Amino acid sequence: MERIEYRNVIDKTDWKRGPWNDEPDKIQWQDAETGLACLIVRGPVGALCGYVGVPAGHPFHGLDYGSCPQSCGGDYCDHRPESSLDAHGGITFASGCSDLSRDRWEKWRSRKPELERDAKKYPSGDAAQSLKEWTGCFDNYEAWAERGHARFICHTPGPGEPDNTWWFGFDCAHAGDICPSMSRLGLRSMSGDYGEVYRDIDYVTAECQKLAKQLAARR
Ligand SMILES: [Zn+2]
C-alpha cells in the first residue's frame, strides 16, 4: 500500500492556530515492521484518530472491539480487543472501511433537508458546518467520493491487495487532549488553556506502530 497524505482538507480558519495547521488531515501507510495497514484521520473535534487494519483470517477480523473472539461466555473477558489491545485512551473503534458507494451517497444526500433545518436553528452548529464543508457534494457523487477518501476511515489498497481490511482505532480526544476545533466555539477547555496536550502526527504514528505490533502478535 502506497503512503498517501491528504493535506488542507479541513477548513481550520476559525480554529486557534497550532501544529494542526501544518499537518495532513489524513495519512495512509503500511507499517514497516508488521506490514499492517495504518491510518491517521482527523476526527470531528479536530483531534487525530489512529487506526490499524487486520486482513481477513486474523482472529480479530470482523470482530467488534467489545466482543470475545472465542465466544468464551465470560462477561468482560480479557480476550476482547478492547481489553487485550492498548493504545492512547483505549480502543474505541472497530469496523470495515467506510462505504463510498453510490447507494451510501444517495442515503447521505437525502439528509440535506434535515441538515438545512438544523443549520437554520444553530448557524454555527455541526449541521451548518457539514453543509459548508460538503457543498458541491450533494449533487455530485464523484465530488463526494473524492472528499470521502480524504475524510473517512478507508484506504486505497495497492494493486492486487485485498480491500476488506478490518480497522481497530483509538482517538486522541480524551480528557487532557487538545481538541483543536473546540476553540472555534470559544471553549477554553480542550483548547490547551488548562494544560491539555495536542497529540500530533508523530505521537499518533508511534501509537499506531505499537498497536500494529500487538495485532501482529495475535496472527
Ligand atoms: Zn472471552
Side-chain angles (χ1 to χ4, degrees), residues 125-151:
D126 291 348
Q129 289 288 316
S130 284
L131 283 174
K132 202 167 108 190
E133 174 176 352
W134 296 86
T135 311
C137 298
F138 290 95
D139 299 308
N140 184 333
Y141 167 70
E142 280 73 27
W144 174 80
E146 195 188 327
R147 189 160 191 89
H149 267 295
R151 285 289 262 131

mmCIF file with all atom_site columns, all heavy atoms in Angstrom, residues 125-151:
data_model
loop_
_atom_site.group_PDB
_atom_site.id
_atom_site.type_symbol
_atom_site.label_atom_id
_atom_site.label_alt_id
_atom_site.label_comp_id
_atom_site.label_asym_id
_atom_site.label_entity_id
_atom_site.label_seq_id
_atom_site.pdbx_PDB_ins_code
_atom_site.Cartn_x
_atom_site.Cartn_y
_atom_site.Cartn_z
_atom_site.occupancy
_atom_site.B_iso_or_equiv
_atom_site.pdbx_formal_charge
_atom_site.auth_seq_id
_atom_site.auth_comp_id
_atom_site.auth_asym_id
_atom_site.auth_atom_id
_atom_site.pdbx_PDB_model_num
ATOM 1   N N   . GLY A 1 125 ? -23.562 25.399 14.369  1.00 0.00 ? 125 GLY A N   1
ATOM 2   C CA  . GLY A 1 125 ? -23.585 24.008 14.815  1.00 0.00 ? 125 GLY A CA  1
ATOM 3   C C   . GLY A 1 125 ? -23.001 23.050 13.778  1.00 0.00 ? 125 GLY A C   1
ATOM 4   O O   . GLY A 1 125 ? -22.532 23.472 12.724  1.00 0.00 ? 125 GLY A O   1
ATOM 5   N N   . ASP A 1 126 ? -23.088 21.764 14.105  1.00 0.00 ? 126 ASP A N   1
ATOM 6   C CA  . ASP A 1 126 ? -22.495 20.730 13.247  1.00 0.00 ? 126 ASP A CA  1
ATOM 7   C C   . ASP A 1 126 ? -23.142 20.662 11.862  1.00 0.00 ? 126 ASP A C   1
ATOM 8   O O   . ASP A 1 126 ? -22.457 20.469 10.859  1.00 0.00 ? 126 ASP A O   1
ATOM 9   C CB  . ASP A 1 126 ? -22.637 19.349 13.910  1.00 0.00 ? 126 ASP A CB  1
ATOM 10  C CG  . ASP A 1 126 ? -21.763 19.225 15.143  1.00 0.00 ? 126 ASP A CG  1
ATOM 11  O OD1 . ASP A 1 126 ? -20.904 20.125 15.329  1.00 0.00 ? 126 ASP A OD1 1
ATOM 12  O OD2 . ASP A 1 126 ? -21.925 18.268 15.903  1.00 0.00 ? 126 ASP A OD2 1
ATOM 13  N N   . ALA A 1 127 ? -24.472 20.815 11.814  1.00 0.00 ? 127 ALA A N   1
ATOM 14  C CA  . ALA A 1 127 ? -25.180 20.722 10.531  1.00 0.00 ? 127 ALA A CA  1
ATOM 15  C C   . ALA A 1 127 ? -24.706 21.838 9.596   1.00 0.00 ? 127 ALA A C   1
ATOM 16  O O   . ALA A 1 127 ? -24.433 21.602 8.413   1.00 0.00 ? 127 ALA A O   1
ATOM 17  C CB  . ALA A 1 127 ? -26.682 20.808 10.754  1.00 0.00 ? 127 ALA A CB  1
ATOM 18  N N   . ALA A 1 128 ? -24.598 23.044 10.142  1.00 0.00 ? 128 ALA A N   1
ATOM 19  C CA  . ALA A 1 128 ? -24.141 24.181 9.327   1.00 0.00 ? 128 ALA A CA  1
ATOM 20  C C   . ALA A 1 128 ? -22.728 23.940 8.818   1.00 0.00 ? 128 ALA A C   1
ATOM 21  O O   . ALA A 1 128 ? -22.409 24.224 7.650   1.00 0.00 ? 128 ALA A O   1
ATOM 22  C CB  . ALA A 1 128 ? -24.201 25.467 10.157  1.00 0.00 ? 128 ALA A CB  1
ATOM 23  N N   . GLN A 1 129 ? -21.882 23.393 9.704   1.00 0.00 ? 129 GLN A N   1
ATOM 24  C CA  . GLN A 1 129 ? -20.500 23.075 9.312   1.00 0.00 ? 129 GLN A CA  1
ATOM 25  C C   . GLN A 1 129 ? -20.480 22.046 8.173   1.00 0.00 ? 129 GLN A C   1
ATOM 26  O O   . GLN A 1 129 ? -19.735 22.179 7.214   1.00 0.00 ? 129 GLN A O   1
ATOM 27  C CB  . GLN A 1 129 ? -19.729 22.505 10.512  1.00 0.00 ? 129 GLN A CB  1
ATOM 28  C CG  . GLN A 1 129 ? -19.403 23.526 11.586  1.00 0.00 ? 129 GLN A CG  1
ATOM 29  C CD  . GLN A 1 129 ? -18.317 24.489 11.126  1.00 0.00 ? 129 GLN A CD  1
ATOM 30  O OE1 . GLN A 1 129 ? -17.321 24.085 10.543  1.00 0.00 ? 129 GLN A OE1 1
ATOM 31  N NE2 . GLN A 1 129 ? -18.521 25.789 11.368  1.00 0.00 ? 129 GLN A NE2 1
ATOM 32  N N   . SER A 1 130 ? -21.297 21.008 8.312   1.00 0.00 ? 130 SER A N   1
ATOM 33  C CA  . SER A 1 130 ? -21.357 19.951 7.300   1.00 0.00 ? 130 SER A CA  1
ATOM 34  C C   . SER A 1 130 ? -21.797 20.506 5.951   1.00 0.00 ? 130 SER A C   1
ATOM 35  O O   . SER A 1 130 ? -21.217 20.180 4.917   1.00 0.00 ? 130 SER A O   1
ATOM 36  C CB  . SER A 1 130 ? -22.355 18.862 7.701   1.00 0.00 ? 130 SER A CB  1
ATOM 37  O OG  . SER A 1 130 ? -21.803 18.073 8.689   1.00 0.00 ? 130 SER A OG  1
ATOM 38  N N   . LEU A 1 131 ? -22.844 21.330 5.986   1.00 0.00 ? 131 LEU A N   1
ATOM 39  C CA  . LEU A 1 131 ? -23.341 21.897 4.724   1.00 0.00 ? 131 LEU A CA  1
ATOM 40  C C   . LEU A 1 131 ? -22.247 22.691 4.029   1.00 0.00 ? 131 LEU A C   1
ATOM 41  O O   . LEU A 1 131 ? -22.061 22.615 2.819   1.00 0.00 ? 131 LEU A O   1
ATOM 42  C CB  . LEU A 1 131 ? -24.540 22.811 4.987   1.00 0.00 ? 131 LEU A CB  1
ATOM 43  C CG  . LEU A 1 131 ? -25.864 22.107 5.260   1.00 0.00 ? 131 LEU A CG  1
ATOM 44  C CD1 . LEU A 1 131 ? -26.921 23.121 5.649   1.00 0.00 ? 131 LEU A CD1 1
ATOM 45  C CD2 . LEU A 1 131 ? -26.317 21.309 4.049   1.00 0.00 ? 131 LEU A CD2 1
ATOM 46  N N   . LYS A 1 132 ? -21.497 23.451 4.849   1.00 0.00 ? 132 LYS A N   1
ATOM 47  C CA  . LYS A 1 132 ? -20.424 24.273 4.298   1.00 0.00 ? 132 LYS A CA  1
ATOM 48  C C   . LYS A 1 132 ? -19.333 23.368 3.722   1.00 0.00 ? 132 LYS A C   1
ATOM 49  O O   . LYS A 1 132 ? -18.883 23.559 2.599   1.00 0.00 ? 132 LYS A O   1
ATOM 50  C CB  . LYS A 1 132 ? -19.849 25.162 5.415   1.00 0.00 ? 132 LYS A CB  1
ATOM 51  C CG  . LYS A 1 132 ? -19.131 26.395 4.916   1.00 0.00 ? 132 LYS A CG  1
ATOM 52  C CD  . LYS A 1 132 ? -18.864 27.372 6.069   1.00 0.00 ? 132 LYS A CD  1
ATOM 53  C CE  . LYS A 1 132 ? -17.391 27.380 6.424   1.00 0.00 ? 132 LYS A CE  1
ATOM 54  N NZ  . LYS A 1 132 ? -17.087 28.114 7.664   1.00 0.00 ? 132 LYS A NZ  1
ATOM 55  N N   . GLU A 1 133 ? -18.932 22.384 4.515   1.00 0.00 ? 133 GLU A N   1
ATOM 56  C CA  . GLU A 1 133 ? -17.836 21.521 4.077   1.00 0.00 ? 133 GLU A CA  1
ATOM 57  C C   . GLU A 1 133 ? -18.181 20.718 2.827   1.00 0.00 ? 133 GLU A C   1
ATOM 58  O O   . GLU A 1 133 ? -17.335 20.532 1.953   1.00 0.00 ? 133 GLU A O   1
ATOM 59  C CB  . GLU A 1 133 ? -17.429 20.545 5.198   1.00 0.00 ? 133 GLU A CB  1
ATOM 60  C CG  . GLU A 1 133 ? -16.391 19.560 4.678   1.00 0.00 ? 133 GLU A CG  1
ATOM 61  C CD  . GLU A 1 133 ? -15.840 18.591 5.722   1.00 0.00 ? 133 GLU A CD  1
ATOM 62  O OE1 . GLU A 1 133 ? -16.127 18.729 6.926   1.00 0.00 ? 133 GLU A OE1 1
ATOM 63  O OE2 . GLU A 1 133 ? -15.101 17.689 5.292   1.00 0.00 ? 133 GLU A OE2 1
ATOM 64  N N   . TRP A 1 134 ? -19.400 20.234 2.750   1.00 0.00 ? 134 TRP A N   1
ATOM 65  C CA  . TRP A 1 134 ? -19.770 19.287 1.695   1.00 0.00 ? 134 TRP A CA  1
ATOM 66  C C   . TRP A 1 134 ? -20.527 19.947 0.541   1.00 0.00 ? 134 TRP A C   1
ATOM 67  O O   . TRP A 1 134 ? -21.126 19.270 -0.281  1.00 0.00 ? 134 TRP A O   1
ATOM 68  C CB  . TRP A 1 134 ? -20.561 18.119 2.287   1.00 0.00 ? 134 TRP A CB  1
ATOM 69  C CG  . TRP A 1 134 ? -19.724 17.326 3.248   1.00 0.00 ? 134 TRP A CG  1
ATOM 70  C CD1 . TRP A 1 134 ? -19.545 17.589 4.575   1.00 0.00 ? 134 TRP A CD1 1
ATOM 71  C CD2 . TRP A 1 134 ? -18.932 16.169 2.962   1.00 0.00 ? 134 TRP A CD2 1
ATOM 72  N NE1 . TRP A 1 134 ? -18.692 16.667 5.133   1.00 0.00 ? 134 TRP A NE1 1
ATOM 73  C CE2 . TRP A 1 134 ? -18.307 15.781 4.163   1.00 0.00 ? 134 TRP A CE2 1
ATOM 74  C CE3 . TRP A 1 134 ? -18.699 15.422 1.806   1.00 0.00 ? 134 TRP A CE3 1
ATOM 75  C CZ2 . TRP A 1 134 ? -17.451 14.685 4.249   1.00 0.00 ? 134 TRP A CZ2 1
ATOM 76  C CZ3 . TRP A 1 134 ? -17.852 14.320 1.879   1.00 0.00 ? 134 TRP A CZ3 1
ATOM 77  C CH2 . TRP A 1 134 ? -17.239 13.960 3.100   1.00 0.00 ? 134 TRP A CH2 1
ATOM 78  N N   . THR A 1 135 ? -20.495 21.276 0.492   1.00 0.00 ? 135 THR A N   1
ATOM 79  C CA  . THR A 1 135 ? -21.084 21.989 -0.644  1.00 0.00 ? 135 THR A CA  1
ATOM 80  C C   . THR A 1 135 ? -20.530 21.371 -1.919  1.00 0.00 ? 135 THR A C   1
ATOM 81  O O   . THR A 1 135 ? -19.353 21.090 -2.002  1.00 0.00 ? 135 THR A O   1
ATOM 82  C CB  . THR A 1 135 ? -20.645 23.478 -0.643  1.00 0.00 ? 135 THR A CB  1
ATOM 83  O OG1 . THR A 1 135 ? -20.840 24.000 0.653   1.00 0.00 ? 135 THR A OG1 1
ATOM 84  C CG2 . THR A 1 135 ? -21.429 24.307 -1.649  1.00 0.00 ? 135 THR A CG2 1
ATOM 85  N N   . GLY A 1 136 ? -21.362 21.186 -2.899  1.00 0.00 ? 136 GLY A N   1
ATOM 86  C CA  . GLY A 1 136 ? -20.852 20.653 -4.160  1.00 0.00 ? 136 GLY A CA  1
ATOM 87  C C   . GLY A 1 136 ? -20.840 19.136 -4.197  1.00 0.00 ? 136 GLY A C   1
ATOM 88  O O   . GLY A 1 136 ? -20.576 18.535 -5.236  1.00 0.00 ? 136 GLY A O   1
ATOM 89  N N   . CYS A 1 137 ? -21.097 18.500 -3.034  1.00 0.00 ? 137 CYS A N   1
ATOM 90  C CA  . CYS A 1 137 ? -21.089 17.037 -2.984  1.00 0.00 ? 137 CYS A CA  1
ATOM 91  C C   . CYS A 1 137 ? -22.502 16.460 -2.970  1.00 0.00 ? 137 CYS A C   1
ATOM 92  O O   . CYS A 1 137 ? -22.679 15.265 -3.191  1.00 0.00 ? 137 CYS A O   1
ATOM 93  C CB  . CYS A 1 137 ? -20.338 16.558 -1.751  1.00 0.00 ? 137 CYS A CB  1
ATOM 94  S SG  . CYS A 1 137 ? -18.609 17.058 -1.742  1.00 0.00 ? 137 CYS A SG  1
ATOM 95  N N   . PHE A 1 138 ? -23.496 17.307 -2.697  1.00 0.00 ? 138 PHE A N   1
ATOM 96  C CA  . PHE A 1 138 ? -24.871 16.804 -2.612  1.00 0.00 ? 138 PHE A CA  1
ATOM 97  C C   . PHE A 1 138 ? -25.423 16.426 -3.987  1.00 0.00 ? 138 PHE A C   1
ATOM 98  O O   . PHE A 1 138 ? -26.319 15.599 -4.095  1.00 0.00 ? 138 PHE A O   1
ATOM 99  C CB  . PHE A 1 138 ? -25.778 17.837 -1.935  1.00 0.00 ? 138 PHE A CB  1
ATOM 100 C CG  . PHE A 1 138 ? -25.486 17.983 -0.462  1.00 0.00 ? 138 PHE A CG  1
ATOM 101 C CD1 . PHE A 1 138 ? -24.628 18.980 -0.002  1.00 0.00 ? 138 PHE A CD1 1
ATOM 102 C CD2 . PHE A 1 138 ? -26.035 17.099 0.457   1.00 0.00 ? 138 PHE A CD2 1
ATOM 103 C CE1 . PHE A 1 138 ? -24.339 19.094 1.346   1.00 0.00 ? 138 PHE A CE1 1
ATOM 104 C CE2 . PHE A 1 138 ? -25.754 17.216 1.806   1.00 0.00 ? 138 PHE A CE2 1
ATOM 105 C CZ  . PHE A 1 138 ? -24.898 18.220 2.256   1.00 0.00 ? 138 PHE A CZ  1
ATOM 106 N N   . ASP A 1 139 ? -24.913 17.048 -5.032  1.00 0.00 ? 139 ASP A N   1
ATOM 107 C CA  . ASP A 1 139 ? -25.404 16.758 -6.381  1.00 0.00 ? 139 ASP A CA  1
ATOM 108 C C   . ASP A 1 139 ? -24.334 16.137 -7.258  1.00 0.00 ? 139 ASP A C   1
ATOM 109 O O   . ASP A 1 139 ? -24.488 16.050 -8.468  1.00 0.00 ? 139 ASP A O   1
ATOM 110 C CB  . ASP A 1 139 ? -25.920 18.046 -7.038  1.00 0.00 ? 139 ASP A CB  1
ATOM 111 C CG  . ASP A 1 139 ? -27.068 18.626 -6.244  1.00 0.00 ? 139 ASP A CG  1
ATOM 112 O OD1 . ASP A 1 139 ? -28.022 17.871 -5.971  1.00 0.00 ? 139 ASP A OD1 1
ATOM 113 O OD2 . ASP A 1 139 ? -26.995 19.805 -5.853  1.00 0.00 ? 139 ASP A OD2 1
ATOM 114 N N   . ASN A 1 140 ? -23.221 15.725 -6.647  1.00 0.00 ? 140 ASN A N   1
ATOM 115 C CA  . ASN A 1 140 ? -22.117 15.220 -7.453  1.00 0.00 ? 140 ASN A CA  1
ATOM 116 C C   . ASN A 1 140 ? -21.459 14.047 -6.719  1.00 0.00 ? 140 ASN A C   1
ATOM 117 O O   . ASN A 1 140 ? -20.703 14.252 -5.767  1.00 0.00 ? 140 ASN A O   1
ATOM 118 C CB  . ASN A 1 140 ? -21.121 16.373 -7.683  1.00 0.00 ? 140 ASN A CB  1
ATOM 119 C CG  . ASN A 1 140 ? -19.971 15.981 -8.593  1.00 0.00 ? 140 ASN A CG  1
ATOM 120 O OD1 . ASN A 1 140 ? -19.597 14.808 -8.686  1.00 0.00 ? 140 ASN A OD1 1
ATOM 121 N ND2 . ASN A 1 140 ? -19.400 16.971 -9.260  1.00 0.00 ? 140 ASN A ND2 1
ATOM 122 N N   . TYR A 1 141 ? -21.762 12.840 -7.166  1.00 0.00 ? 141 TYR A N   1
ATOM 123 C CA  . TYR A 1 141 ? -21.249 11.654 -6.483  1.00 0.00 ? 141 TYR A CA  1
ATOM 124 C C   . TYR A 1 141 ? -19.719 11.618 -6.461  1.00 0.00 ? 141 TYR A C   1
ATOM 125 O O   . TYR A 1 141 ? -19.097 11.334 -5.437  1.00 0.00 ? 141 TYR A O   1
ATOM 126 C CB  . TYR A 1 141 ? -21.787 10.364 -7.137  1.00 0.00 ? 141 TYR A CB  1
ATOM 127 C CG  . TYR A 1 141 ? -21.055 9.134  -6.666  1.00 0.00 ? 141 TYR A CG  1
ATOM 128 C CD1 . TYR A 1 141 ? -21.213 8.675  -5.352  1.00 0.00 ? 141 TYR A CD1 1
ATOM 129 C CD2 . TYR A 1 141 ? -20.182 8.445  -7.507  1.00 0.00 ? 141 TYR A CD2 1
ATOM 130 C CE1 . TYR A 1 141 ? -20.526 7.563  -4.902  1.00 0.00 ? 141 TYR A CE1 1
ATOM 131 C CE2 . TYR A 1 141 ? -19.488 7.326  -7.052  1.00 0.00 ? 141 TYR A CE2 1
ATOM 132 C CZ  . TYR A 1 141 ? -19.665 6.899  -5.754  1.00 0.00 ? 141 TYR A CZ  1
ATOM 133 O OH  . TYR A 1 141 ? -18.965 5.808  -5.300  1.00 0.00 ? 141 TYR A OH  1
ATOM 134 N N   . GLU A 1 142 ? -19.104 11.928 -7.600  1.00 0.00 ? 142 GLU A N   1
ATOM 135 C CA  . GLU A 1 142 ? -17.634 11.863 -7.692  1.00 0.00 ? 142 GLU A CA  1
ATOM 136 C C   . GLU A 1 142 ? -16.980 12.825 -6.699  1.00 0.00 ? 142 GLU A C   1
ATOM 137 O O   . GLU A 1 142 ? -15.990 12.482 -6.053  1.00 0.00 ? 142 GLU A O   1
ATOM 138 C CB  . GLU A 1 142 ? -17.152 12.174 -9.110  1.00 0.00 ? 142 GLU A CB  1
ATOM 139 C CG  . GLU A 1 142 ? -17.252 11.011 -10.090 1.00 0.00 ? 142 GLU A CG  1
ATOM 140 C CD  . GLU A 1 142 ? -18.694 10.712 -10.525 1.00 0.00 ? 142 GLU A CD  1
ATOM 141 O OE1 . GLU A 1 142 ? -19.529 11.668 -10.504 1.00 0.00 ? 142 GLU A OE1 1
ATOM 142 O OE2 . GLU A 1 142 ? -18.979 9.559  -10.859 1.00 0.00 ? 142 GLU A OE2 1
ATOM 143 N N   . ALA A 1 143 ? -17.564 14.015 -6.580  1.00 0.00 ? 143 ALA A N   1
ATOM 144 C CA  . ALA A 1 143 ? -17.012 15.004 -5.633  1.00 0.00 ? 143 ALA A CA  1
ATOM 145 C C   . ALA A 1 143 ? -17.126 14.481 -4.200  1.00 0.00 ? 143 ALA A C   1
ATOM 146 O O   . ALA A 1 143 ? -16.201 14.626 -3.390  1.00 0.00 ? 143 ALA A O   1
ATOM 147 C CB  . ALA A 1 143 ? -17.745 16.335 -5.779  1.00 0.00 ? 143 ALA A CB  1
ATOM 148 N N   . TRP A 1 144 ? -18.260 13.845 -3.891  1.00 0.00 ? 144 TRP A N   1
ATOM 149 C CA  . TRP A 1 144 ? -18.470 13.295 -2.555  1.00 0.00 ? 144 TRP A CA  1
ATOM 150 C C   . TRP A 1 144 ? -17.470 12.169 -2.271  1.00 0.00 ? 144 TRP A C   1
ATOM 151 O O   . TRP A 1 144 ? -16.845 12.119 -1.202  1.00 0.00 ? 144 TRP A O   1
ATOM 152 C CB  . TRP A 1 144 ? -19.906 12.778 -2.434  1.00 0.00 ? 144 TRP A CB  1
ATOM 153 C CG  . TRP A 1 144 ? -20.181 12.070 -1.139  1.00 0.00 ? 144 TRP A CG  1
ATOM 154 C CD1 . TRP A 1 144 ? -20.443 12.656 0.071   1.00 0.00 ? 144 TRP A CD1 1
ATOM 155 C CD2 . TRP A 1 144 ? -20.213 10.655 -0.923  1.00 0.00 ? 144 TRP A CD2 1
ATOM 156 N NE1 . TRP A 1 144 ? -20.641 11.685 1.022   1.00 0.00 ? 144 TRP A NE1 1
ATOM 157 C CE2 . TRP A 1 144 ? -20.504 10.453 0.446   1.00 0.00 ? 144 TRP A CE2 1
ATOM 158 C CE3 . TRP A 1 144 ? -20.025 9.544  -1.752  1.00 0.00 ? 144 TRP A CE3 1
ATOM 159 C CZ2 . TRP A 1 144 ? -20.608 9.180  1.009   1.00 0.00 ? 144 TRP A CZ2 1
ATOM 160 C CZ3 . TRP A 1 144 ? -20.126 8.272  -1.192  1.00 0.00 ? 144 TRP A CZ3 1
ATOM 161 C CH2 . TRP A 1 144 ? -20.420 8.094  0.178   1.00 0.00 ? 144 TRP A CH2 1
ATOM 162 N N   . ALA A 1 145 ? -17.317 11.273 -3.261  1.00 0.00 ? 145 ALA A N   1
ATOM 163 C CA  . ALA A 1 145 ? -16.417 10.133 -3.064  1.00 0.00 ? 145 ALA A CA  1
ATOM 164 C C   . ALA A 1 145 ? -14.975 10.619 -2.901  1.00 0.00 ? 145 ALA A C   1
ATOM 165 O O   . ALA A 1 145 ? -14.221 10.094 -2.075  1.00 0.00 ? 145 ALA A O   1
ATOM 166 C CB  . ALA A 1 145 ? -16.527 9.165  -4.236  1.00 0.00 ? 145 ALA A CB  1
ATOM 167 N N   . GLU A 1 146 ? -14.609 11.630 -3.640  1.00 0.00 ? 146 GLU A N   1
ATOM 168 C CA  . GLU A 1 146 ? -13.250 12.152 -3.541  1.00 0.00 ? 146 GLU A CA  1
ATOM 169 C C   . GLU A 1 146 ? -13.003 12.765 -2.166  1.00 0.00 ? 146 GLU A C   1
ATOM 170 O O   . GLU A 1 146 ? -11.984 12.514 -1.522  1.00 0.00 ? 146 GLU A O   1
ATOM 171 C CB  . GLU A 1 146 ? -13.008 13.199 -4.642  1.00 0.00 ? 146 GLU A CB  1
ATOM 172 C CG  . GLU A 1 146 ? -11.532 13.512 -4.814  1.00 0.00 ? 146 GLU A CG  1
ATOM 173 C CD  . GLU A 1 146 ? -11.291 14.684 -5.751  1.00 0.00 ? 146 GLU A CD  1
ATOM 174 O OE1 . GLU A 1 146 ? -12.077 14.852 -6.707  1.00 0.00 ? 146 GLU A OE1 1
ATOM 175 O OE2 . GLU A 1 146 ? -10.325 15.430 -5.493  1.00 0.00 ? 146 GLU A OE2 1
ATOM 176 N N   . ARG A 1 147 ? -13.974 13.550 -1.701  1.00 0.00 ? 147 ARG A N   1
ATOM 177 C CA  . ARG A 1 147 ? -13.856 14.140 -0.380  1.00 0.00 ? 147 ARG A CA  1
ATOM 178 C C   . ARG A 1 147 ? -13.893 13.061 0.698   1.00 0.00 ? 147 ARG A C   1
ATOM 179 O O   . ARG A 1 147 ? -13.176 13.132 1.698   1.00 0.00 ? 147 ARG A O   1
ATOM 180 C CB  . ARG A 1 147 ? -14.963 15.174 -0.175  1.00 0.00 ? 147 ARG A CB  1
ATOM 181 C CG  . ARG A 1 147 ? -14.784 15.966 1.066   1.00 0.00 ? 147 ARG A CG  1
ATOM 182 C CD  . ARG A 1 147 ? -15.491 17.272 1.157   1.00 0.00 ? 147 ARG A CD  1
ATOM 183 N NE  . ARG A 1 147 ? -14.934 17.923 2.338   1.00 0.00 ? 147 ARG A NE  1
ATOM 184 C CZ  . ARG A 1 147 ? -13.870 18.695 2.313   1.00 0.00 ? 147 ARG A CZ  1
ATOM 185 N NH1 . ARG A 1 147 ? -13.296 18.987 1.183   1.00 0.00 ? 147 ARG A NH1 1
ATOM 186 N NH2 . ARG A 1 147 ? -13.382 19.200 3.431   1.00 0.00 ? 147 ARG A NH2 1
ATOM 187 N N   . GLY A 1 148 ? -14.732 12.063 0.476   1.00 0.00 ? 148 GLY A N   1
ATOM 188 C CA  . GLY A 1 148 ? -14.842 10.947 1.413   1.00 0.00 ? 148 GLY A CA  1
ATOM 189 C C   . GLY A 1 148 ? -13.507 10.228 1.590   1.00 0.00 ? 148 GLY A C   1
ATOM 190 O O   . GLY A 1 148 ? -13.123 9.878  2.702   1.00 0.00 ? 148 GLY A O   1
ATOM 191 N N   . HIS A 1 149 ? -12.797 10.030 0.501   1.00 0.00 ? 149 HIS A N   1
ATOM 192 C CA  . HIS A 1 149 ? -11.486 9.392  0.560   1.00 0.00 ? 149 HIS A CA  1
ATOM 193 C C   . HIS A 1 149 ? -10.509 10.162 1.437   1.00 0.00 ? 149 HIS A C   1
ATOM 194 O O   . HIS A 1 149 ? -9.641  9.579  2.079   1.00 0.00 ? 149 HIS A O   1
ATOM 195 C CB  . HIS A 1 149 ? -10.894 9.251  -0.847  1.00 0.00 ? 149 HIS A CB  1
ATOM 196 C CG  . HIS A 1 149 ? -11.209 7.930  -1.471  1.00 0.00 ? 149 HIS A CG  1
ATOM 197 N ND1 . HIS A 1 149 ? -10.732 6.733  -0.969  1.00 0.00 ? 149 HIS A ND1 1
ATOM 198 C CD2 . HIS A 1 149 ? -11.969 7.611  -2.537  1.00 0.00 ? 149 HIS A CD2 1
ATOM 199 C CE1 . HIS A 1 149 ? -11.194 5.745  -1.694  1.00 0.00 ? 149 HIS A CE1 1
ATOM 200 N NE2 . HIS A 1 149 ? -11.948 6.239  -2.657  1.00 0.00 ? 149 HIS A NE2 1
ATOM 201 N N   . ALA A 1 150 ? -10.666 11.472 1.457   1.00 0.00 ? 150 ALA A N   1
ATOM 202 C CA  . ALA A 1 150 ? -9.765  12.323 2.219   1.00 0.00 ? 150 ALA A CA  1
ATOM 203 C C   . ALA A 1 150 ? -10.213 12.502 3.666   1.00 0.00 ? 150 ALA A C   1
ATOM 204 O O   . ALA A 1 150 ? -9.467  13.016 4.495   1.00 0.00 ? 150 ALA A O   1
ATOM 205 C CB  . ALA A 1 150 ? -9.656  13.687 1.538   1.00 0.00 ? 150 ALA A CB  1
ATOM 206 N N   . ARG A 1 151 ? -11.446 12.067 3.995   1.00 0.00 ? 151 ARG A N   1
ATOM 207 C CA  . ARG A 1 151 ? -12.031 12.350 5.299   1.00 0.00 ? 151 ARG A CA  1
ATOM 208 C C   . ARG A 1 151 ? -12.382 11.111 6.110   1.00 0.00 ? 151 ARG A C   1
ATOM 209 O O   . ARG A 1 151 ? -12.422 11.165 7.337   1.00 0.00 ? 151 ARG A O   1
ATOM 210 C CB  . ARG A 1 151 ? -13.331 13.162 5.093   1.00 0.00 ? 151 ARG A CB  1
ATOM 211 C CG  . ARG A 1 151 ? -13.112 14.588 4.718   1.00 0.00 ? 151 ARG A CG  1
ATOM 212 C CD  . ARG A 1 151 ? -12.564 15.356 5.901   1.00 0.00 ? 151 ARG A CD  1
ATOM 213 N NE  . ARG A 1 151 ? -13.593 16.081 6.615   1.00 0.00 ? 151 ARG A NE  1
ATOM 214 C CZ  . ARG A 1 151 ? -13.758 16.054 7.930   1.00 0.00 ? 151 ARG A CZ  1
ATOM 215 N NH1 . ARG A 1 151 ? -12.999 15.300 8.670   1.00 0.00 ? 151 ARG A NH1 1
ATOM 216 N NH2 . ARG A 1 151 ? -14.682 16.786 8.514   1.00 0.00 ? 151 ARG A NH2 1
#
